[in-house]
Amino acid sequence: RGELSPEQIDWVIDAYTRGIVADEQMSALAMAILLNGMNRAEIARWTAAMIASGERMNFDSLSRPTADKHSTGGVGDKITLPLAPLVAACGAAVPQLSGRGLGHTGGTLDKLESIPGWRALLSNEEMLNVLDTTGAVICAAGDGLAPADKKLYALRDVTGTVEAIPLIASSIMSKKIAEGTGSLVLDVKVGSGAFMKNIEDARELASTMVALGTDSGVKTIALLTDMSTPLGLTAGNALEVRESVEVLAGGGPADVVELTIALAQEMLTAAGIKDADPAKALADGSAMDVWRRMISAQGGDPDAALPVAREQHVVTASASGVLTRLDAYAVGVGAWRLGAGRARKEDPVQAGAGIELHAKPGDTVTAGQPLMTLHTDTPEKFDYALASLEGCYDVAPAGTAFTANPIVLDRIA
Ligand code: URA
């Protein structure tokens, strides 16, 4: 339970990245950090050492201010897809270096890869070019960015040490600071479908990340947002792209629209852009124009039909009344088991697999009506997915009062 000195932290991160410290030794240190925590000075130094393990990008050549968003991961969290083009349509440049899904939370790159032709891997020059010409780019982080985190994150994933707040905060912020964005809005998810199951832990994670960003000269704010139930009506790659396009076309589920606009407003304010109206940019098609240019610039065809899974299975409501709970984690695991997610980094994902919801908490349902449709190319997975959905919803008698959680639970700046 001693404190690591700055020299010890610099040494271990560098030596681990270069393969001098073995995985077994680093696992022991990660487990000690999970159990004992780190203080603010240790977390700041750990983050700086991970940034120093690779390159730092620079967007000074752009004429627009940069703004980025990072979500800690949830179920049905497709917000990056409408958000990046929306914020670009309002005047900021959005360099969105994203990841793939692991476990029950989906990954932005997996979702976009369901668009025929779309490429996640861009060189730094290509990335800058797409950003400069369209205002937004969503692509994979290059190997040069925080390589220490890449290695450590993979190790944490298989050693049960992902959920340490100092390690999550330094992992996310090292990549965002190295990426070179001028401002950053963090969407820290809270609830069953998130890493942080309760608001106190989410607050600690958010304030740790806000302090790291601010101390590094990145204007950083965090919203704590609800992840007790899935966002929108879809969880799964192509299903979520379809819903995102509906939002860009001025429609889409109310919770997805509300969170997209709330995050857009925060990003624009953090980037110093005043008087922009994100709701208008969704309604008048200007965000959709940026989306189409951004997808095309990365080889995708925005007009191509999206993949559809070969088989469907409908789950019906067991009773009539008010749907009072629909658990995000169960839906996330169900979509993952249907093939939307992967168990190992190298596994493929099915573009069409996932879960489509026909009702959300607060809706009135009738016994026997479709509650959700499961989609997969591998129907032998239906039973496995259905097992995870066992007991995932509650229906209360008709007339029962129901108050939905607000989407935005708190703001930390
Ligand atoms: N996302 C990251 O990039 N790192 C973590 O540790 C957790 C979520």
Side-chain angles (χ1 to χ4, degrees):
R1 299 223 171 108
E3 182 175 339
L4 292 171
S5 70
E7 294 73 26
Q8 287 172 325
I9 290 173
D10 292 350
W11 178 82
V12 77
I13 294 285
D14 175 60
Y16 179 59
T17 310
R18 292 191 292 122
I20 293 165
V21 164
D23 279 348
E24 293 79 355
Q25 294 170 306
M26 197 60 169
S27 307
L29 181 55
M31 187 56 77
I33 292 168
L34 176 87
L35 297 174
N36 298 328
M38 285 203 281
N39 66 28
R40 281 290 159 97
E42 288 174 303
I43 300 172
R45 190 68 179 215
W46 189 274
T47 307
M50 294 217 291
I51 296 168
S53 73
E55 63 183 349
R56 284 187 82 149
M57 300 191 64
N58 187 316
F59 298 122
D60 288 352
S61 62
L62 297 175
S63 53
R64 303 162 171 223
T66 46
D68 194 5
K69 183 262 333 189
H70 182 86
S71 159
T72 55
V75 178
D77 184 4
K78 70 276 298 168
I79 301 292
T80 294
L81 276 58
L83 180 66
L86 172 59
V87 172
C90 293
V94 186
Q96 180 78 59
L97 300 184
S98 298
R100 291 175 199 285
L102 200 59
H104 74 279
T105 63
T108 298
L109 302 181
D110 295 326
K111 295 172 202 196
L112 285 167
E113 276 175 346
S114 62
I115 300 174
W118 188 85
R119 279 191 304 124
L121 283 176
L122 303 181
S123 67
N124 286 357
E125 293 71 43
E126 281 178 310
M127 180 203 170
L128 251 163
N129 189 35
V130 178
L131 185 58
D132 201 19
T133 52
T134 73
V137 62
I138 305 176
C139 62
D143 287 340
L145 210 73
D149 176 65
K150 217 160 252 151
K151 212 174 157 191
L152 183 57
Y153 188 77
L155 182 74
R156 287 165 56 212
D157 192 47
V158 294
T159 55
T161 52
V162 167
E163 285 170 36
I165 287 177
L167 295 179
I168 298 177
S170 54
S171 166
I172 292 173
M173 294 307 293
S174 63
K175 286 174 287 202
K176 291 294 161 184
I177 295 166
E179 168 200 286
T181 186
S183 54
L184 175 65
V185 175
L186 298 160
D187 181 3
V188 179
K189 300 278 180 213
V190 192
S192 77
F195 282 127
M196 298 295 121
K197 309 290 181 203
N198 65 65
I199 192 127
E200 291 75 28
D201 287 347
R203 235 179 236 125
E204 186 187 337
L205 176 62
S207 48
T208 306
M209 292 195 289
V210 168
L212 284 171
T214 308
D215 290 351
S216 300
V218 180
K219 171 114 183 84
T220 309
I221 73 112
L223 296 185
L224 305 192
T225 71
D226 182 53
M227 189 28 71
S228 58
T229 201
L231 259 173
L233 293 168
T234 55
N237 302 310
L239 292 170
E240 293 191 45
V241 172
R242 192 194 71 201
E243 191 169 271
S244 303
V245 172
E246 284 166 18
V247 171
L248 287 160
D255 57 348
V256 178
V257 175
E258 181 184 336
L259 184 54
T260 303
I261 291 177
L263 289 165
Q265 254 148 4
E266 293 288 356
M267 287 168 74
L268 291 162
T269 306
I273 296 176
K274 298 188 185 78
D275 305 328
D277 185 350
K280 181 166 169 289
L282 278 184
D284 69 11
S286 48
M288 177 70 100
D289 289 343
V290 178
W291 161 264
R292 293 177 61 81
R293 277 188 269 127
M294 180 185 85
I295 296 300
S296 304
Q298 288 173 241
D301 176 358
D303 296 314
L306 291 166
V308 176
R310 278 199 291 277
E311 304 271 344
Q312 279 75 33
H313 174 93
V314 176
V315 174
T316 56
S318 57
S320 298
V322 182
L323 188 69
T324 52
R325 184 180 68 89
L326 181 57
D327 184 65
Y329 181 69
V331 173
V333 174
W336 173 60
R337 290 182 174 183
L338 290 165
R342 53 172 69 77
R344 292 161 184 267
K345 271 208 316 293
E346 53 284 359
D347 290 348
V349 295
Q350 293 178 27
I355 297 182
E356 198 179 352
L357 306 173
H358 304 299
K360 291 283 294 266
D363 290 348
T364 299
V365 297
T366 308
Q369 83 162 66
L371 204 55
M372 51 185 101
T373 303
L374 279 48
H375 298 253
T376 187
D377 294 333
T378 42
E380 63 277 14
K381 302 262 182 71
F382 278 136
D383 284 345
Y384 186 40
L386 286 167
S388 70
L389 295 168
E390 197 73 38
C392 77
Y393 69 93
D394 291 329
V395 177
T400 304
F402 174 81
T403 315
N405 284 343
I407 302 284
V408 177
L409 304 166
D410 203 355
R411 179 180 189 276
I412 292 178

